[in-house]
Amino acid sequence: MNYKEEIIRLKKELDVTIVAHFYQRDEVFEMGDIVGDSLELAKRAMAAPTKNIIFCGVGFMGESVKVLSPEKRVLMPKIACCAMAKMIDVEYFDENLKILNNAGISNDDILPITYINSSAAVKAAVGKMGGYVCTSSNAFKIIQKGLTSGKKIFFVPDRCLGQNFANQMKLKSAVIGMDSIEDVKNSDIICYNGFCSVHQLFTVEDIEFYKEKYPDIIVAVHPECDVKVVDRADFVGSTSQLIKFITEEISPEQKVVVGTEYNMVNRLRDKNTYVLSSTKPECPTMNETTLEDLYNALMSIKNETYDNEIVVPQDVVKYAKIALEKMFEV
């Protein structure tokens, strides 16, 4: 069976919009009616004229679409789970709050901010405490806004993102479980001990290798990378910011080495773009979705079985949406 041809045929026949994240395999990415990073996809899916959304990405992204557009039916070809998002759930969130409480920091003095790479349930827990969701592109503004509350920021789940923005803002940060309780108590931004396994592949040694080989090369990395890597980079930005920088803001002749997921980097440019790793930095969960999975999702709409439909409890939708809408306000 030619899955590509069948997918194109079914898209014309059905009331459906296919959205695909930048990190998807090329053949799946090419089938997207809407492509982008996670928040951009959720916002654009809200405006899609179709009742059915098929989201090619990972679980928390499909949940975000459902939270923002509860009236739409959201399916995923494969309910793959972001490893970082799996590092935190509501139980771990509450356990970390207890650690802070035992250190003498009350919940009244804590403002939680969760990276969008988290489950709807975690976003709801943050929303209940008056906190915010953020993305890598708006985290600086969200943290700035959060600090006006006079509270300590509890940043979950990515410690690297929290530490990198703290450094950028010249604030003190500490990681629960890695740093001393005294350091945690004296920090402006307290980070949960989570991380992106793909962005941990990039090292200072990789930067030194490329700088030695190509002295004029530009190093561009995602802020999910380790603090030491970000400190050595020439440009740091979210997925969308990296794309804009590489495709619009530097000349085609300029060599650039990029520290983020392979599939996206591979689509940016050809001879002058390199991947900042000696191994192939593919996100394993993003790469789970295949054309066959996408075809099966479309067929489930046609057959009205609606396989892998995303369902989020109403109370979770309510509070997760509060945290998301607070982000939009900023």
Side-chain angles (χ1 to χ4, degrees):
M1 179 186 293
N2 187 319
Y3 288 115
K4 182 175 180 178
E5 289 182 1
E6 286 299 300
I7 289 166
I8 293 171
R9 179 183 66 80
L10 287 166
K11 282 205 300 181
K12 293 176 181 177
E13 178 184 331
L14 301 171
D15 180 33
V16 64
T17 299
I18 297 174
V19 298
H21 191 272
F22 285 127
Y23 292 176
Q24 291 288 292
R25 300 169 183 231
D26 286 348
E27 60 267 27
V28 174
F29 183 80
E30 290 167 3
M31 293 294 100
D33 302 305
I34 300 171
V35 297
D37 59 20
S38 56
L39 182 62
E40 179 186 3
L41 292 177
K43 290 170 69 176
R44 292 177 65 189
M46 288 173 65
T50 60
K51 180 180 179 180
N52 299 299
I53 302 292
I54 294 182
F55 200 113
C56 302
V58 289
F60 78 83
M61 298 177 184
E63 286 186 338
S64 293
V65 175
K66 189 65 180 177
V67 167
L68 292 171
S69 307
E71 75 285 356
K72 292 186 183 293
R73 178 179 285 115
V74 182
L75 309 179
M76 298 192 72
K78 179 84 70 172
I79 304 184
C81 190
C82 167
M84 183 199 298
K86 281 290 283 185
M87 290 180 185
I88 188 167
D89 57 19
V90 175
E91 184 178 347
Y92 286 147
F93 181 82
D94 289 341
E95 285 179 3
N96 276 251
L97 285 178
K98 286 179 182 176
I99 291 172
L100 298 180
N101 297 159
N102 291 336
I105 306 171
S106 74
N107 285 358
D108 290 338
D109 295 323
I110 297 168
L111 182 73
I113 297 175
T114 182
Y115 191 24
I116 198 165
N117 295 40
S118 57
S119 69
V122 169
K123 291 181 176 74
V126 168
K128 286 179 182 179
M129 290 182 65
Y132 298 77
V133 176
C134 77
T135 68
S136 51
S137 60
N138 66 26
F140 188 97
K141 287 184 178 180
I142 298 296
I143 292 170
Q144 273 190 323
K145 177 66 175 177
L147 288 168
T148 63
S149 68
K151 299 181 179 183
K152 289 185 179 292
I153 303 298
F154 177 36
F155 194 92
V156 303
D158 185 10
R159 66 170 188 251
C160 295
L161 205 66
Q163 289 174 301
N164 283 321
F165 281 105
N167 288 349
Q168 186 180 344
M169 300 170 78
K170 302 190 185 310
L171 298 172
K172 293 180 180 178
S173 66
V175 181
I176 297 175
M178 292 182 67
D179 297 311
S180 71
I181 288 297
E182 280 305 309
D183 285 341
V184 168
K185 289 171 67 174
N186 292 326
S187 292
D188 305 296
I189 300 177
I190 301 167
C191 303
Y192 181 85
N193 190 12
F195 56 87
C196 171
S197 56
V198 175
H199 287 96
Q200 293 301 297
L201 293 173
F202 308 116
T203 66
V204 171
E205 289 73 25
D206 294 326
I207 294 177
E208 291 172 347
F209 170 83
Y210 276 100
K211 286 286 190 181
E212 184 176 341
K213 190 172 183 179
Y214 306 109
D216 296 327
I217 200 167
I218 289 174
V219 179
V221 304
H222 195 282
E224 289 178 17
C225 292
D226 184 82
V227 173
K228 293 178 182 177
V229 171
V230 168
D231 284 347
R232 293 289 299 275
D234 302 301
F235 179 85
V236 182
S238 67
T239 302
S240 296
Q241 289 167 343
L242 285 170
I243 291 171
K244 183 179 180 183
F245 175 73
I246 293 164
T247 59
E248 299 178 20
E249 298 177 13
I250 59 175
S251 72
E253 291 74 31
Q254 173 65 56
K255 286 181 168 53
V256 57
V257 60
V258 189
T260 195
E261 207 273 344
Y262 173 81
N263 284 320
M264 193 202 85
V265 177
N266 196 44
R267 284 192 293 265
L268 287 176
R269 300 193 311 181
D270 44 25
K271 60 182 180 180
N272 287 324
T273 304
Y274 305 87
V275 178
L276 185 65
S277 179
S278 56
T279 58
K280 195 175 181 180
E282 279 186 324
C283 176
T285 50
M286 281 287 194
N287 279 267
E288 286 184 26
T289 303
T290 65
L291 282 180
E292 182 178 3
D293 295 326
L294 180 52
Y295 166 77
N296 289 336
L298 287 162
M299 285 300 297
S300 79
I301 293 175
K302 182 173 182 177
N303 297 330
E304 298 184 358
T305 57
Y306 305 112
D307 300 342
N308 291 341
E309 182 174 358
I310 299 297
V311 178
V312 182
Q314 278 304 110
D315 62 325
V316 172
V317 169
K318 175 183 175 181
Y319 288 103
K321 194 169 184 178
I322 287 172
L324 282 161
E325 287 178 343
K326 282 172 69 73
M327 171 181 68
F328 293 143
E329 289 170 9
V330 176

